[in-house]
């Protein structure tokens, strides 16, 4: 009995935990646009690499700094002569006949030494400029990462809008299919009772089939749109995803308000990147100029050496030696090599200055273009929205007339086709409006 009670308790516990985990899993599949963007900031594959580039740049800054700090290295050597070197000495030194030589071996069979050396840079103009340049490269990496974040936010928003548009279009097509099926079934009953012709039934059957095709197409487009969104977010493509936000909360403000976004040139990421590139070119120009300056280094070394005819040299005497010194490297003449490098760096600096001005003009052009496109998209949306409403009103009236035998099925089909066409145009103009808003915000530096 106790065993059965324990099993029941365990089953209930696992059931509660399972339901809790399932509820959490379902909760994580629902995203607002803000949540989808934040998820992409943490899981985007593209953004991961740019963040790593920032980390690499931080390490490179320290790498540059350490070249001007004390450098310490150690050495250890152990040698065993298989055959000692032989030198020839004149024979008369040993009482032999002149012109003869006596072979003599100098040295010990074994030798060993160990020691360390320390070097310190005293002055190097290239190092001073290099350290400040490294900070600029780090800033460039951060700005590149920021630009990637902006691109990811734009891509996520566009993919999110596309899913909402696909869902809206699917709802319209389902409504059209439901309406076409109802008309077909009613007309079929009228035909069976002798109030309609076979042609009317066939015409509405074609209309129903066309609506079914549009529903199928809209469902496929919705699947594709969700796949693109998950891919952009870095979300598991095999997991389902649901959107929380409604399409109208994004469209309504754009329709009711005129453009109130101004160009923020100074804080625009593209302009700041151009400024950073100009500063880097300035540093490279200075780097080539300081190559004319001398370089000074100090060094110290300490070594102990031992010799013997036995392999174990630890019992032998070790002889110390040490050295301290200074070194100067002074450029004197290089046949104009450094001068040519300075001139090239100056030209690159002029190009970077021109690029910064070009970026300023380009951003102004992009902003004005995006503003005009936004107004165009807004006007087209309002027009297509009105056309869709008119087409819906005409279709409703035509259906009433058809039910009363005042119009033919061909005219009804024509009005249904017109309604579907204007609905498609409205969907297209809605997406164009949302994309124009994204482009404007991106051009203004407000995304």
């Amino acid at each position: 009995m106790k065993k059965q009670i324990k099993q029941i308790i365990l089953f209930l516990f696992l059931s509660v935990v399972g339901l809790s985990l399932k509820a959490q899993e379902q909760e994580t599949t629902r995203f607002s646009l803000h949540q989808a963007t934040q998820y992409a900031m943490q899981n985007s594959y593209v953004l991961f690499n740019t963040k790593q580039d920032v980390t690499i740049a931080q390490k490179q800054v320290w790498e540059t700094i350490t070249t001007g700090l004390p450098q310490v290295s150690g050495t250890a050597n152990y040698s065993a002569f298989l055959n000692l070197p032989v030198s020839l000495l004149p024979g008369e030194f040993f009482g032999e006949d002149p012109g003869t030589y006596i072979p003599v071996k100098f040295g010990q069979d074994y030798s060993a030494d160990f020691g360390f050396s320390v070097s310190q840079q005293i002055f190097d103009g290239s190092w001073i400029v290099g350290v400040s340049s490294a900070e600029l490269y780090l800033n460039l990496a951060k700005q590149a990462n920021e630009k990637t974040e902006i691109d990811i936010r734009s891509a996520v928003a566009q993919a999110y809008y596309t899913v909402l548009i696909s869902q809206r279009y699917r709802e319209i097509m389902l409504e059209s299919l439901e309406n076409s099926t109802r008309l077909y079934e009613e007309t079929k009953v009228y035909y069976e009772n002798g109030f309609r012709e076979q042609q009317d039934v066939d015409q509405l059957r074609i209309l129903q089939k066309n609506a079914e095709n549009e529903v199928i197409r809209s469902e496929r487009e919705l699947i594709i749109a969700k796949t693109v969104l998950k891919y952009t977010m870095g979300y598991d493509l095999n997991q389902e995803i649901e959107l929380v936000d409604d399409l109208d909360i994004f469209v309504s403000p754009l329709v009711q308000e005129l453009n109130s976004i101004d160009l923020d040139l100074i804080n625009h990421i593209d302009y700041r990147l151009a400024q950073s590139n100009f500063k880097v070119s300035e540093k490279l120009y200075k780097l080539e100029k300081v190559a004319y300056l001398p370089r000074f280094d100090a060094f110290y070394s300490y070594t102990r050496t031992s010799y013997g005819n036995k392999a174990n040299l630890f019992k032998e005497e070790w002889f110390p030696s040490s050295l301290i010194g200074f070194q100067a490297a002074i450029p004197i003449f290089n046949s104009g090599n450094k001068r040519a490098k300075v001139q090239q760096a100056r030209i690159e600096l002029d190009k970077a200055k021109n690029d910064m001005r070009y970026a300023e003009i380009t951003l102004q052009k992009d902003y004005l273009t995006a503003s005009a496109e936004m107004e165009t998209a807004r006007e087209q949306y309002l027009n297509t929205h009105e056309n869709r409403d008119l087409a819906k009103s005409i279709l409703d009236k035509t259906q009433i007339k058809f039910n009363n035998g005042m119009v033919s099925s061909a005219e009804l089909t024509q009005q249904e086709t017109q309604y579907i066409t204007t609905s498609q145009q409205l969907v297209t103009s809605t997406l164009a409006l949302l994309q124009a808003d994204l482009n404007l915000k991106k051009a203004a530096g407000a995304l």
Side-chain angles (χ1 to χ4, degrees):
M1 184 65 180
K2 292 182 177 180
K3 184 177 180 180
Q4 292 179 346
I5 294 175
K6 289 181 178 180
Q7 290 177 346
I8 294 173
I9 294 175
L10 179 61
F11 174 76
L12 293 175
F13 173 76
L14 293 176
S15 299
V16 171
V17 172
L19 291 174
S20 177
L21 292 175
K22 185 176 181 181
Q24 292 178 2
E25 182 180 356
Q26 291 177 349
E27 183 179 355
T28 58
T29 60
R30 296 174 56 84
F31 289 96
S32 65
L33 176 57
H34 176 73
Q35 291 170 336
T37 303
Q38 293 302 313
Y39 187 92
M41 292 297 104
Q42 299 297 326
N43 298 276
S44 171
Y45 298 105
V46 177
L47 200 57
F48 174 82
N49 286 342
T50 58
K51 289 179 180 179
Q52 295 301 102
D53 289 338
V54 173
T55 304
I56 291 174
Q58 291 172 338
K59 303 302 180 183
Q60 288 176 338
V61 170
W62 180 244
E63 177 187 353
T64 304
I65 293 174
T66 56
T67 58
L69 301 180
Q71 309 293 316
V72 180
S73 61
T75 59
N77 295 292
Y78 181 87
S79 303
F81 282 105
L82 300 180
N83 292 289
L84 284 171
V86 176
S87 299
L88 297 178
L89 298 180
E92 53 265 32
F93 288 174
F94 301 97
E96 299 291 334
D97 295 333
T100 60
Y101 294 91
I102 304 298
V104 179
K105 293 182 177 182
F106 292 96
Q108 304 292 322
D109 291 334
Y110 300 93
S111 65
D113 65 78
F114 67 91
F116 68 93
S117 61
V118 182
S119 63
Q120 172 61 56
Q121 177 182 284
I122 298 177
F123 174 80
D124 186 356
S126 299
W127 180 80
I128 297 173
V129 177
V131 170
S132 57
S133 299
E135 292 290 343
L136 286 177
Y137 281 113
L138 174 59
N139 188 45
L140 268 176
K142 290 181 178 179
Q143 290 177 345
N145 181 70
E146 181 182 346
K147 182 174 176 60
T148 303
E149 288 181 346
I150 293 173
D151 292 339
I152 292 297
R153 283 197 290 269
S154 176
V156 170
Q158 184 170 343
Y160 197 95
Y161 294 155
T162 303
V163 174
L164 292 179
I165 290 291
S166 299
Q167 289 177 341
R168 178 64 59 84
Y169 182 67
R170 180 175 176 272
E171 292 172 0
I172 294 173
M173 291 302 101
L174 285 173
E175 179 185 356
S176 176
L177 175 60
E178 182 181 356
N179 188 42
S180 300
T181 302
R182 178 179 56 79
L183 286 174
Y184 169 72
E185 296 296 339
E186 291 177 355
T187 304
K188 188 177 178 181
V189 172
Y190 283 135
Y191 167 74
E192 292 173 352
N193 289 276
F195 294 102
R196 290 291 182 185
E197 298 180 357
Q198 179 66 44
Q199 180 181 350
D200 294 329
V201 177
D202 295 340
Q203 192 72 44
L204 290 177
R205 181 59 174 168
I206 293 175
L207 186 64
Q208 182 193 34
K209 285 299 181 181
N210 290 337
E212 288 180 358
N213 290 335
E214 287 298 322
V215 169
I216 293 174
R217 187 167 70 90
S218 65
E219 290 176 347
R220 296 292 184 271
E221 290 178 350
L222 179 59
I223 293 174
I224 295 174
K226 285 188 175 183
T227 300
V228 172
L229 175 60
K230 289 186 284 186
Y231 172 80
T232 307
M233 293 170 54
Y235 193 76
D236 188 355
L237 298 180
N238 296 319
Q239 295 293 326
E240 291 298 325
I241 187 172
E242 296 180 9
L243 306 191
V244 175
D245 294 333
D246 185 74
L247 181 62
D248 292 334
I249 68 173
F250 301 111
V251 176
S252 297
L254 302 180
V255 176
Q256 298 171 0
E257 299 178 4
L258 296 176
N259 174 32
S260 60
I261 303 176
D262 296 325
L263 174 61
D264 188 3
L265 181 63
I266 301 301
N267 294 318
H268 199 289
I269 182 59
D270 289 337
Y271 187 72
R272 288 189 285 122
L273 279 169
Q275 286 181 318
S276 297
N277 284 322
F278 175 75
K279 292 178 181 178
V280 169
S281 296
E282 277 187 321
K283 291 296 182 181
L284 292 176
Y285 177 59
K286 292 179 181 179
L287 183 64
E288 296 299 339
K289 291 177 68 175
V290 299
Y292 285 105
L293 300 177
R295 171 176 173 167
F296 298 98
D297 296 286
F299 58 89
Y300 170 79
S301 66
Y302 178 85
T303 307
R304 277 183 173 271
T305 308
S306 178
Y307 306 94
N309 289 321
K310 295 181 179 181
N312 187 3
L313 296 177
F314 290 102
K315 297 181 180 180
E316 303 294 335
E317 184 177 0
W318 291 80
F319 303 97
S321 64
S322 58
L323 175 68
I324 190 172
F326 297 91
Q327 183 179 23
I330 305 174
I332 298 176
F333 180 72
N334 51 42
S335 300
N337 178 270
K338 286 185 172 60
R339 183 171 178 270
K341 290 182 178 180
V342 171
Q343 291 174 340
Q344 293 177 50
R346 179 63 196 182
I347 294 173
E348 292 294 337
L349 178 60
D350 293 338
K351 288 173 59 180
K353 185 176 181 180
N354 182 67
D355 289 340
M356 188 166 64
R357 177 57 182 163
Y358 179 68
E360 179 180 350
I361 297 175
T362 301
L363 290 174
Q364 291 175 348
K365 182 267 296 181
D366 291 343
Y367 171 75
L368 294 175
T369 302
S371 297
E373 291 176 348
M374 179 61 189
E375 293 304 316
T376 301
R378 179 175 177 274
E379 293 170 358
Q380 288 181 345
Y381 172 81
L382 293 174
N383 290 334
T384 53
H385 194 283
E386 183 178 358
N387 290 341
R388 196 283 309 270
D389 291 343
L390 290 173
K392 177 62 174 174
S393 176
I394 294 173
L395 176 61
D396 292 341
K397 294 176 181 178
T398 304
Q399 287 179 353
I400 295 174
K401 291 180 179 180
F402 176 78
N403 291 334
N404 292 320
M406 300 173 62
V407 296
S408 65
S409 59
E411 186 175 349
L412 176 62
T413 302
Q414 180 181 358
Q415 300 306 324
E416 180 72 22
T417 303
Q418 178 177 265
Y419 172 70
I420 294 176
T421 301
T422 55
S423 297
Q424 292 173 339
Q425 292 173 347
L426 178 60
V427 167
T428 302
S429 63
T430 303
L431 183 58
L433 177 64
L434 294 171
Q435 289 177 338
D437 177 61
L438 282 176
N439 293 336
L440 178 58
K441 290 178 180 178
K442 196 171 183 180
L447 188 59

